[in-house]
Amino acid sequence: MAPNNGAQQTGDIAIVGMSCRLPGAPGVDEFWGLLTSGRSAVAQQPGGSRLGALENAAGFDAA
C-alpha cells in the first residue's frame, strides 16, 4: 500500500475474505440473501420496540 501523501487516490479494491454472524444471517450467504431480497431481520416487539438478536447467542464466540 502506498503512503498517503494527501493526494486523493482512486482505484479498485478487492475483498479477499469475509465472515459474519448477524441476526437472521448466520453466514455470508444468508446475509447476502437478506440484502438482495430486501428483507429485515429486525422484528417489531410488543410495546413497539425493535430487536434483532443472534440465534444461540450463548454459544457465540467472537474470537
Side-chain angles (χ1 to χ4, degrees):
M1 186 169 180
N4 184 355
N5 61 7
Q8 184 177 0
Q9 298 178 6
T10 61
D12 296 332
I13 63 167
I15 299 173
V16 295
M18 186 171 168
S19 177
C20 67
R21 182 172 178 208
L22 304 164
V28 175
D29 290 336
E30 295 86 357
F31 178 57
W32 186 250
L34 280 175
L35 292 175
T36 58
S37 69
R39 291 181 292 132
S40 174
V42 178
Q44 189 82 21
Q45 301 297 305
S49 64
R50 297 178 60 80
L51 175 68
L54 290 176
E55 295 175 17
N56 191 21
F60 182 67
D61 180 8

